[in-house]
Amino acid sequence: MMKLYGSNGSPFTRKVRVFIGEANLWDRVEYVLVPPNEFRTIMPTHSPLGKVPVLELDDGTKMIDSPAICEYLDSLHSGRKLFPENPDERWKALRYLGLGDGICEAVIAAFRELYRPKDKQDAALVDRESKRAANCADLLEREIDELTAGPVTIGQIAAAIGVGHILFRKQTGELPPHPALDLAMRAPRLLAWYGQFFERPSMQNAKPEK
Ligand SMILES: N[C@@H](CCC(=O)N[C@@H](CS)C(=O)NCC(=O)O)C(=O)O
C-alpha cells in the first residue's frame, strides 16, 4: 500500500486526493493525515522540502510535488488517463493545471502574510497576490467552455481546487474580503461550475479543513 502524507488545509494535498478518487486508486493508497502540531518535525523526514503532499511508494521511494505525484499515479491505472494522451488535450490540461496551482500559490502567499504580526504585514503583497489569484480566475471564467468541455482531466481538477481554495480561506476568514476575490461578481460561470464539480464523490471525500 502506498502512503499519501498530507494535510486537510493544503490544496495541493486536496488535489492529489481528488485525483486518486477520479483515478479509482484508493485501494492502493492510504491517506496519512499529518497533524498540524507535528508538521514541522514529521515532514522533513519525508522530504527535504518539508512540504505536503508526499507520496511514499511501495518500495519506499518518496515522490514530491503534486503535479508529479498525480502524473505518477496516472501511470498506474489502465483506465482513461487524466493527463490526456492526445497532445492538444494534454497541453490544455497542463495549462489549467498551472492556472489552478497558481491560484493556490497566490492565496497561500496572501494569507500567510496575514499570519505575521500586524505591524509587519505588507498590505501591498496581500493586494498583489489577491489580484494574481483573481486574474487566474478571470482567465478560467473567459475560457469556461474549453475548461469544462469533455471528461475530467488534471486541468479541471486543479482549476476546481484553485477556486475551492479561494472560497475556503475566505470562509475561514484567513483571507480577508478583497474586491478582486468576489467570485460571484467576477467569475459567476466558474463558480457555478465549481458548485457542480464539488458534488463529485472525489471532491466530497476531500473537503478542506483548517
Ligand atoms: N509545488 C508543491 C507545493 C507544496 C506546498 O506548497 N505545500 C504547502 C501546503 S499547501 C506546505 O507544505 N507548506 C509548508 C511549509 O511551507 O512549511 C506541490 O504542488 O506539491
Side-chain angles (χ1 to χ4, degrees):
M1 198 77 169
M2 293 177 283
K3 287 193 173 119
L4 176 69
Y5 298 95
S7 61
N8 289 345
S10 156
F12 301 110
T13 302
R14 187 181 184 208
K15 185 178 65 196
V16 176
R17 291 172 71 199
V18 171
F19 192 95
I20 293 171
E22 293 293 338
N24 268 318
L25 286 169
W26 275 121
D27 56 343
R28 299 184 60 179
V29 188
E30 178 193 350
Y31 179 44
V32 181
L33 181 63
V34 180
N37 58 344
E38 291 171 32
F39 192 99
R40 292 201 188 285
T41 47
I42 290 181
M43 285 321 295
T45 68
H46 294 302
S47 151
L49 295 176
K51 292 185 176 185
V52 289
V54 168
L55 181 73
E56 183 175 348
L57 311 188
D58 293 332
D59 70 0
T61 303
K62 312 254 173 92
M63 291 286 299
I64 54 168
D65 207 30
S66 57
I69 292 173
C70 289
E71 191 158 3
Y72 173 78
L73 289 166
D74 214 25
S75 76
L76 298 182
H77 68 91
S78 50
R80 185 184 60 78
K81 297 298 179 186
L82 301 174
F83 284 77
E85 286 163 316
N86 168 285
D88 287 346
E89 291 300 313
R90 183 177 175 81
W91 307 140
K92 182 171 120 174
L94 292 182
R95 191 162 154 272
Y96 293 132
L97 168 60
L99 285 167
D101 281 4
I103 292 179
C104 296
E105 282 161 14
V107 169
I108 290 170
F111 91 76
R112 278 253 170 96
E113 188 62 20
L114 298 164
Y115 271 99
R116 284 157 48 87
K118 264 220 152 20
D119 59 325
K120 298 224 167 66
Q121 287 175 15
D122 179 351
L125 183 150
V126 176
D127 183 59
R128 200 166 56 239
E129 295 296 343
S130 300
K131 286 181 180 153
R132 197 196 303 273
N135 289 338
C136 293
D138 281 353
L139 205 156
L140 293 173
E141 172 79 4
R142 284 201 300 278
E143 297 188 8
I144 190 74
D145 292 331
E146 293 95 307
L147 170 68
T148 59
V152 170
T153 64
I154 181 63
Q156 290 184 8
I157 295 172
I161 297 300
V163 173
H165 204 55
I166 295 176
L167 300 177
F168 170 59
R169 294 299 179 191
K170 277 173 68 171
Q171 181 215 324
T172 60
E174 291 162 287
L175 194 59
H178 189 292
L181 288 175
D182 183 349
L183 293 187
M185 279 284 291
R186 192 166 189 130
R189 293 185 68 203
L190 181 64
L191 199 57
W193 169 75
Y194 176 78
Q196 287 168 17
F197 200 89
F198 184 69
E199 296 305 322
R200 298 182 73 80
S202 63
M203 292 282 286
Q204 290 291 311
N205 188 37
K207 288 189 186 155
E209 278 168 28
K210 232 176 136 176

